[in-house]
Amino acid sequence: MKKRIINFLLMMIFIIIVGGWIYTSVRDEFLKQSRAAQRRTVETVAAGYPSGDDEIGEWLKRLAEDANDYRVALVPEIPMPGEKLEVPPRGDAELSKLTEDSASDPEFSKGFDNAAYEEIYRSAKTWTVGTQEEQALFFAPAVDLRTHDIEGALVFSFSTEGEQGFMRMMNTLFAAAFILFAVVIWQMMLSRDPIVGFALAGLFLMTITFVAYPLFEALRLSFMENGKFSLAVWRTILNSEGYMSALWGSLKLGCWTATFSTLVGFLFAFVVSRTNAPCKKLISTMGVLPVISPPFSLTLSIILLFGNNGLITRWLRVIGLDFSIYGLPGLVIVQTMGMFPIAFLTLGGVLQAIDSTYEEASLNLSAGRFKTFSSITLPLAVPGLLSAWLLVFTTSLADFANPLLLAGDLKVLSLESYIEVTGMNRLGHGAALSILLLLPTLTAFLAQRFWVAKRSYVTVTGKPSGRITELTTPTVRRILTGIIFVIVFFLIMLYGTIFAGCFVKNWGIDYTFSLENITEAITRSRDALFDTVTLAAIATPIAGIIAMIAALLIVRRKFHGKKLLEMLLMTPFALPGTLLGISYILAFNHAPIILVGTAAIIVINYVIRELPVGIEGGIASLRQIDPSIEEAATDLGADQAMVFRSIVLPLVRPAFLSSLSYTFVRSMTAVSAVIFLISARWYHITVLIYNFSENLRFGLASVLSTVLIIIVFGAFGIMRLIVRENSNLMKNVT
Amino acid sequence: MASSKSKSVTFDNIVKIFRDPQSGQDVTAVGGVSFTIEPGELVTLLGPSGCGKSTILRMLSGFEQPTSGRILIGDNDVTQTPPNKRDTAMVFQSYGLFPHMNVAENVAYGLKLRKMPANEIAEKVQRFLEMVGLGQMGKRPPSRLSGGQQQRVALARSLIVEPSVLLLDEPLSNLDALLREQMRVEIRRLQKSLGITAMYVTHDRVEAMSLSDRIIVMKLGNIIQIGTPSDIYRDPVDTFVAGFVGKVAFFPCEVKSIDSGCHVEVKGQGFTAPRWSDKLKAGDKALVMARPESLSIGEAGAGVEDGVVTANIYLGNSVETWVHTDLGNVLVQIDNPDVKKIWDEGSTVSLSFDPALTKVLVDDLEKA
């Protein structure tokens, strides 16, 4: 081992020497070329120096107009070394000023000296000309065309920006190449299975570059003002009534939505798992459906029905009711409709896992049905209720799409940070606001994960008996089912409205049947739709494969920094999309990595955001697989890649497919992060829906929403078909 | 009868230290182990759980890396070779069959990795499936086989790649008693007929005795004894080995002298044992080790130790009589019970042993 480390170090020293040699020679060659080009320009220009005062004036003026990469000033009389100019320089004003101020500087004296001997001289250091820093100066003789006398000196200033840009690029390139070499050689020389090492190195590099670094940049910028460390941004935000009311608004919205969603979710879960109500299949389906409906769709139909010109608003106005859906109540309704499925799924799992033997025991001990519910079922479900509440709270706080259309006068943080960035161009404020949003989100997320989830009673019970103990009297059951059907009907009405919106000429004004919206929407959105599908399709397999590799390493391998890697990979799940979007534009619009405006930044964002869910799924399904299955394959001669391809991937196929479809759907319906990252070239269909809605083109928005809904449901449908086929084959994975 | 392909296995001073993830402390799983397995030999690692026997197997297969020392297969040092590049094949305790492949595909997996032509694979797979008695089962998924059949598939899958060394990690522990006996014979037959070098890990002494050419008895990461099954049974190095490989009774004694035999005195009676521990010298307090079949029961006061019969277990060809004495509960095996006297439960009896079948051991019972 020691010998191999020494070998590695020797190899590294060798690479540093060779790399350094290549680096310096490439750099010198480039600088030589670039300076030679500048020198040639100076020669050519100086050769054209005319004679006669007027002609010189004319000549200088023409140069100032024509030249774009240099500036010229003429020193009519060359001063003695160390002395000031007697006649002020002519030509470029800022350069003249510098020349006059610094004429006695040794560098200038040297330049003038050279000019006096008809030589061209390049200053050894760089100067600031006016506002432009880092300018290289050239000194050339001004030779009278006719008399061939040296009349004075010409001072040229060239920008060194190109040179410096090149140097920066070189530095980045060489640093990256060095790290790459080091990792490759380290793995090749020291590791027994290099593939695992490469995968780990890749994952660490990826998470540090695309999770840690952007977040750090966002945090850094919120502490900066005019390029210096400052608390000004935070001071402004914490002292501003507007921003604080946005924080308050977010919390208020989150609390209301979480409370209502938990209530509705519990109602659905209770009726499905604890009563003999009719149409349970429909209830479960409708209880899950909204979670995969695209953003804006529910908001859109709420506006179509209850907006200022809405269908139902009109009727209510007729009977004298006037109200505005915009603001807190409207948002709570829309969010509850969209997010109660989260509570339903959580609580459904919890209630199903609570063995109904407990309730039977209680009934058997002659407790009444209500007594049983209140003393057995409810207390057992409390951790689940808390969990559901916190999950919805987090989601509501991070929600961006619904407030964007429906907030009205209500201020919420996710929206404010968007306005700061896109409206005011105050990136620091935007970053700070989204970090502020992160605090309650993260608190709730961590509380759910590490506190509530551990207090669940679910794990202590045995297998669920599968029987249902009727806990309601027929009357109560009818009332509960009645409420559920009202909600289900409302949901169906919302989806129906979007569909209807496609075929109506101008919603709110002209309700005649028309197909114009459809044709117009399709023509106008074709490119965006194509972009959206393309980007999602690229991100999907990448995220799927990376998630499975990461899950495999986490479950099966021992390595240093495993906890750190897990944390880095899982963090994006708890981050509000706006924060991720803002940190990406902050981190990737400057060197060393410039991605803003490219498709890559959007794809990377999708991958990073959707990885956590894929990894969790992968981990869960890998834990079910006996490690000796993989060991058997290795033992028979398969290398790591082969084991992954021929054993692991087929075995985790259901989890893999569902993570694929999840990533695809989430990428198709992303808004909060992607709205910061889109560019003229790469557009996203959800942003288009938003634009149409903002411009009151509800028909177009409806058509696009319907298209998205079809794509999303289609993707899920296909996935379920494949998985079902698969699961018949795959029973008994031991 | 070793085939030309089978190779020897050598462990040269192998140490394996694990780091306990909870306490962060180093735990020595294997502490400096050396041994050699001859080509074509089946050697069993026997020991209680946690003795390091599975770690040794996993180091030979390459799934664990020794902390120090060398492992050789034939003349090749494979210490740094990854598991997929080692010419070993392992049969796992839980079989590790690929659930998404049928039986034939499972068996063919290793051959496919070796890029054998498809028609040759099919032919060879069929031959090996027939060898393990599963000729008709090729198309079935593993989940539709019984435990014993799954084990045969795992065996065929390992054998078909013709490894230099076959590794078996408690392969029979998930089977019921009858099947276990059957598979034991089967494994031994296949291993012998293919002349393959094999290492077998188990904590079941009967399995070890009935299968092995030699047994390595391990305790707490160290080898205690290496020997043939009968060596280990008749001539154990200490009370641990004696107790681990079979029922045994120990009678305290004093060593009088040692020449061609070991002369001891038990409760005033003199005996001469043909085997004794090297460390003993005249005057030592020691133990006489006696197996159930070397013990006999007589009238109270006639033998070396008195006790009360607590149970008689009739096994057909023998009766096992439990006698409660001051030395503990002692098992006596009475062969041909139909022509021998069986003492009633509750009767006071005396135990004596046949000195020719005993061994004198150092008294280390206190420490253990």
Side-chain angles (χ1 to χ4, degrees):
Chain A
M1 193 66 192
K2 207 178 253 170
K3 205 174 125 203
R4 287 199 285 172
I5 288 180
I6 291 170
N7 276 341
F8 173 73
L9 290 177
L10 285 176
M11 196 77 181
M12 279 293 101
I13 291 169
F14 176 71
I15 286 182
I16 289 173
I17 292 170
V18 173
W21 177 68
I22 297 174
Y23 175 80
T24 43
S25 50
V26 170
R27 187 192 60 188
D28 291 350
E29 185 56 26
F30 176 81
L31 289 181
K32 216 170 89 189
Q33 293 294 338
S34 127
R35 282 170 194 175
Q38 290 173 351
R39 191 175 287 265
R40 273 197 300 281
T41 311
V42 170
E43 268 171 20
T44 325
V45 173
Y49 181 74
S51 69
D53 243 23
D54 294 345
E55 282 91 344
I56 291 170
E58 195 66 19
W59 181 73
L60 284 171
K61 219 160 107 198
R62 211 173 53 239
L63 280 180
E65 280 163 12
D66 291 354
N68 43 20
D69 58 341
Y70 63 89
R71 298 198 264 180
V72 194
L74 170 68
V75 179
E77 231 161 89
I78 295 176
M80 295 301 284
E83 280 175 24
K84 294 212 174 296
L85 296 183
E86 283 166 20
V87 191
R90 303 165 66 179
D92 186 86
E94 285 174 346
L95 188 57
S96 301
K97 177 146 190 341
L98 175 75
T99 312
E100 195 163 12
D101 292 348
S102 330
S104 51
D105 189 278
E107 272 291 305
F108 271 77
S109 303
K110 222 170 176 179
F112 292 144
D113 225 33
N114 272 287
Y117 286 102
E118 269 191 81
E119 295 278 344
I120 292 174
Y121 174 72
R122 183 186 186 279
S123 64
K125 60 174 188 172
T126 55
W127 299 80
T128 303
V129 181
T131 55
Q132 288 180 299
E133 292 174 6
E134 305 267 334
Q135 302 287 305
L137 294 187
F138 279 85
F139 296 86
V143 183
D144 188 292
L145 206 58
R146 276 188 295 258
T147 59
H148 301 286
D149 288 340
I150 296 171
E151 284 201 334
L154 288 164
V155 183
F156 291 76
S157 81
F158 282 87
S159 165
T160 56
E161 211 172 283
E163 278 175 25
Q164 272 159 14
F166 177 79
M167 302 280 273
R168 264 198 302 275
M169 193 186 77
M170 286 265 294
N171 290 342
T172 318
L173 264 176
F174 270 81
F178 179 74
I179 293 171
L180 198 72
F181 263 113
V183 169
V184 169
I185 291 169
W186 175 268
Q187 287 305 331
M188 288 300 184
M189 293 179 71
L190 294 179
S191 170
R192 245 174 18 126
D193 36 24
I195 292 180
V196 171
F198 285 133
L200 274 180
L203 283 176
F204 269 110
L205 210 63
M206 179 188 83
T207 47
I208 287 168
T209 320
F210 296 115
V211 180
Y213 169 63
L215 288 179
F216 172 75
E217 281 291 299
L219 196 65
R220 194 174 65 96
L221 197 82
S222 74
F223 284 105
M224 294 278 262
E225 181 145 305
N226 298 330
K228 286 191 197 75
F229 175 81
S230 142
L231 293 171
V233 172
W234 283 100
R235 211 173 285 137
T236 324
I237 283 174
L238 296 175
N239 285 329
S240 145
E241 220 167 278
Y243 294 134
M244 281 301 106
S245 75
L247 175 62
W248 182 232
S250 278
L251 293 176
K252 221 163 35 177
L253 176 63
C255 287
W256 280 115
T257 302
T259 309
F260 280 119
S261 299
T262 310
L263 282 176
V264 176
F266 186 74
L267 181 66
F268 271 67
F270 181 78
V271 167
V272 168
S273 68
R274 283 296 186 274
T275 69
N276 292 311
C279 307
K280 276 203 210 164
K281 195 114 199 174
L282 174 75
I283 295 174
S284 321
T285 312
M286 288 311 290
V288 182
L289 211 55
V291 88
I292 50 172
S293 67
F296 302 121
S297 52
L298 293 179
T299 321
L300 185 63
S301 59
I302 285 276
I303 292 174
L304 292 180
L305 292 175
F306 299 100
N308 291 339
N309 247 333
L311 199 58
I312 296 177
T313 319
R314 289 268 198 92
W315 297 342
L316 293 176
R317 278 211 191 107
V318 172
I319 59 163
L321 256 174
D322 205 2
F323 68 95
S324 169
I325 193 73
Y326 297 93
L328 187 63
L331 264 178
V332 171
I333 293 174
V334 168
Q335 284 196 339
T336 303
M337 285 299 116
M339 295 172 194
F340 85 87
I342 301 172
F344 170 57
L345 287 171
T346 313
L347 289 164
V350 168
L351 284 182
Q352 241 149 47
I354 296 175
D355 198 331
S356 54
T357 319
Y358 298 143
E359 285 146 3
E360 278 166 12
S362 165
L363 290 169
N364 192 253
L365 293 165
S366 69
R369 282 167 168 162
F370 185 74
K371 180 74 187 161
T372 299
F373 172 76
S374 64
S375 63
I376 306 292
T377 317
L378 204 56
L380 284 175
V382 161
L385 285 167
L386 268 177
S387 219
W389 194 93
L390 288 170
L391 280 175
V392 177
F393 179 74
T394 317
T395 318
S396 158
L397 244 56
D399 183 24
F400 172 73
N402 292 316
L404 197 57
L405 282 183
L406 213 58
D409 292 334
L410 181 74
K411 286 186 167 176
V412 294
L413 277 179
S414 54
L415 207 53
E416 289 302 305
S417 54
Y418 170 69
I419 293 166
E420 286 297 329
V421 172
T422 52
M424 316 281 193
N425 206 18
R426 286 195 293 221
L427 287 164
H429 283 63
L433 283 176
S434 48
I435 291 169
L436 195 61
L437 177 61
L438 182 63
L439 292 179
T441 316
L442 207 60
T443 314
F445 173 75
L446 293 176
Q448 196 274 330
R449 209 118 212 238
F450 296 107
W451 187 66
V452 178
K454 291 228 163 74
R455 261 152 200 74
S456 161
Y457 298 110
V458 171
T459 44
V460 297
T461 66
K463 281 185 181 168
S465 62
R467 266 172 301 119
I468 282 175
T469 311
E470 184 58 65
L471 270 185
T472 52
T473 59
T475 325
V476 174
R477 186 162 71 235
R478 257 177 239 131
I479 294 171
L480 295 181
T481 322
I483 300 173
I484 285 183
F485 277 118
V486 169
I487 295 170
V488 168
F489 175 75
F490 187 57
L491 269 175
I492 292 174
M493 186 174 75
L494 290 181
Y495 284 112
T497 306
I498 307 172
F499 189 65
C502 305
F503 300 99
V504 166
K505 197 158 196 178
N506 198 348
W507 192 280
I509 297 155
D510 183 358
Y511 285 104
T512 49
F513 177 84
S514 147
L515 292 175
E516 279 168 31
N517 283 323
I518 296 179
T519 46
E520 188 182 347
I522 299 293
T523 16
R524 286 182 62 177
S525 71
R526 196 182 294 133
D527 290 344
L529 194 61
F530 183 74
D531 285 357
T532 312
V533 174
T534 311
L535 294 179
I538 295 171
T540 301
I542 298 176
I545 299 269
I546 294 180
M548 283 308 137
I549 291 174
L552 190 66
L553 291 173
I554 288 169
V555 174
R556 290 280 193 261
R557 295 280 162 174
K558 283 180 269 181
F559 54 88
H560 293 293
K562 191 192 228 176
K563 278 264 168 309
L564 177 73
L565 183 65
E566 258 189 284
M567 201 192 76
L568 283 171
L569 285 167
M570 290 306 181
T571 305
F573 188 72
L575 296 181
T578 38
L579 175 57
L580 211 57
I582 290 175
S583 35
Y584 268 48
I585 44 172
L586 288 179
F588 302 121
N589 69 349
H590 60 76
I593 309 171
I594 300 171
L595 292 173
V596 168
T598 63
I601 195 170
I602 300 176
V603 170
I604 291 168
N605 183 272
Y606 289 162
V607 171
I608 292 290
R609 281 200 81 188
E610 310 316 339
L611 266 183
V613 172
I615 292 175
E616 296 253 286
I619 287 179
S621 69
L622 277 171
R623 291 235 159 98
Q624 312 260 310
I625 300 171
D626 184 350
S628 64
I629 292 174
E630 287 148 60
E631 283 181 355
T634 310
D635 196 51
L636 289 168
D639 59 23
Q640 295 301 320
M642 186 68 188
V643 173
F644 183 72
R645 200 151 42 84
S646 68
I647 307 293
V648 178
L649 218 46
L651 287 181
V652 297
R653 217 173 102 167
F656 182 63
L657 284 173
S658 71
S659 108
L660 284 187
S661 67
Y662 178 85
T663 307
F664 182 74
V665 164
R666 292 262 304 174
S667 306
M668 288 295 298
T669 57
V671 194
S672 53
V674 97
I675 202 165
F676 295 99
L677 305 176
I678 49 162
S679 49
R681 171 63 195 88
W682 297 100
Y683 218 72
H684 199 283
I685 189 147
T686 53
V687 184
L688 205 58
I689 297 179
Y690 165 64
N691 290 343
F692 286 150
S693 311
E694 273 287 279
N695 301 331
L696 306 181
R697 301 297 305 268
F698 293 125
L700 302 180
S702 299
V703 175
L704 292 189
S705 290
T706 312
V707 169
L708 257 188
I709 291 175
I710 291 170
I711 292 176
V712 166
F713 287 178
F716 266 105
I718 290 171
M719 188 271 297
R720 284 186 74 158
L721 268 181
I722 301 175
V723 170
R724 191 171 303 156
E725 232 166 65
N726 220 39
S727 62
N728 289 337
L729 262 172
M730 292 275 305
K731 271 172 197 154
N732 293 323
V733 178
T734 43
Chain B
M1 51 141 235
S3 80
S4 57
K5 204 191 174 245
S6 63
K7 288 183 180 151
S8 65
V9 170
T10 308
F11 269 56
D12 180 9
N13 201 16
I14 289 291
V15 175
K16 176 69 185 178
I17 295 170
F18 284 111
R19 176 149 291 179
D20 185 356
Q22 259 94 53
S23 64
Q25 271 171 354
D26 289 341
V27 179
T28 305
V30 176
V33 157
S34 303
F35 60 85
T36 302
I37 304 175
E38 301 303 330
E41 193 183 25
L42 192 154
V43 169
T44 298
L45 289 170
L46 177 67
S49 53
C51 69
K53 57 189 190 303
S54 287
T55 309
I56 287 185
L57 194 77
R58 290 177 64 81
M59 284 194 286
L60 180 52
S61 62
F63 292 121
E64 302 287 351
Q65 181 82 333
T67 312
S68 70
R70 289 190 318 148
I71 299 172
L72 286 87
I73 295 178
D75 299 325
N76 286 339
D77 186 339
V78 296
T79 319
Q80 300 298 331
T81 314
N84 54 320
K85 300 268 164 60
R86 289 190 194 192
D87 194 11
T88 61
M90 179 125 134
V91 178
F92 292 84
Q93 184 172 7
S94 52
Y95 320 137
L97 297 181
F98 310 132
H100 57 304
M101 300 180 189
N102 66 26
V103 167
E105 286 165 345
N106 261 285
V107 176
Y109 187 81
L111 296 181
K112 276 189 192 142
L113 289 173
R114 283 161 182 72
K115 305 264 185 302
M116 193 187 245
N119 53 337
E120 282 176 44
I121 291 183
E123 184 270 321
K124 195 169 179 185
V125 165
Q126 191 54 35
R127 192 149 53 82
F128 271 74
L129 281 179
E130 267 155 27
M131 198 162 78
V132 296
L134 293 173
Q136 310 300 315
M137 307 280 192
K139 290 279 182 288
R140 290 214 192 159
S143 56
R144 288 190 43 222
L145 299 181
S146 71
Q149 289 170 327
Q150 291 189 15
Q151 188 57 271
R152 284 161 209 261
V153 177
L155 200 58
R157 186 179 66 179
S158 297
L159 289 173
I160 201 167
V161 297
E162 296 171 33
S164 310
V165 187
L166 179 67
L167 308 172
L168 302 116
D169 185 9
E170 311 211 13
L172 306 182
S173 60
N174 287 341
L175 301 179
D176 61 53
L178 199 68
L179 210 50
R180 198 150 43 194
E181 224 163 280
Q182 222 179 318
M183 281 304 293
R184 223 148 58 198
V185 177
E186 188 103 335
I187 287 174
R188 184 58 166 159
R189 177 179 67 81
L190 286 169
Q191 182 263 334
K192 275 210 160 159
S193 67
L194 295 168
I196 204 165
T197 311
M199 185 189 257
Y200 193 104
V201 162
T202 184
H203 60 264
D204 182 332
R205 65 187 171 85
V206 181
E207 225 168 271
M209 294 276 181
S210 56
L211 270 171
S212 323
D213 292 312
R214 282 190 301 156
I215 296 174
I216 298 178
V217 184
M218 292 193 65
K219 183 186 171 189
L220 297 173
N222 289 303
I223 293 179
I224 308 295
Q225 188 171 7
I226 304 180
T228 62
S230 72
D231 281 348
I232 303 266
Y233 188 76
R234 287 166 45 235
D235 199 3
V237 293
D238 62 8
T239 54
F240 166 76
V241 177
F244 197 78
V245 298
K247 291 278 182 335
V248 71
F250 297 114
F251 298 93
C253 67
E254 193 185 324
V255 179
K256 287 292 164 195
S257 63
I258 297 174
D259 41 51
S260 62
C262 182
H263 306 288
V264 296
E265 198 177 282
V266 183
K267 292 228 174 133
Q269 304 181 34
F271 298 97
T272 303
R275 290 173 290 274
W276 63 92
S277 171
D278 298 340
K279 291 171 198 140
L280 288 172
K281 56 185 190 305
D284 281 354
K285 297 277 182 222
L287 294 172
V288 173
M289 173 208 99
R291 297 281 180 200
E293 62 273 15
S294 69
L295 289 169
S296 55
I297 299 176
E299 296 288 346
V304 289
E305 185 74 32
D306 285 358
V308 179
V309 174
T310 54
N312 281 309
I313 299 160
Y314 183 68
L315 295 171
N317 58 351
S318 67
V319 164
E320 292 184 353
T321 301
W322 286 93
V323 181
H324 182 75
T325 70
D326 292 344
L327 300 171
N329 288 312
V330 175
L331 178 70
V332 181
Q333 184 184 325
I334 303 168
D335 293 328
N336 307 322
D338 296 346
V339 298
K340 297 250 179 76
K341 177 175 170 58
I342 303 302
W343 296 78
D344 290 335
E345 287 173 23
S347 49
T348 305
V349 296
S350 167
L351 296 171
S352 44
F353 52 80
D354 178 356
L357 299 174
T358 60
K359 178 174 184 183
V360 185
L361 293 170
V362 177
D363 184 359
D364 53 5
L365 284 178
E366 243 68 49
K367 296 181 283 179

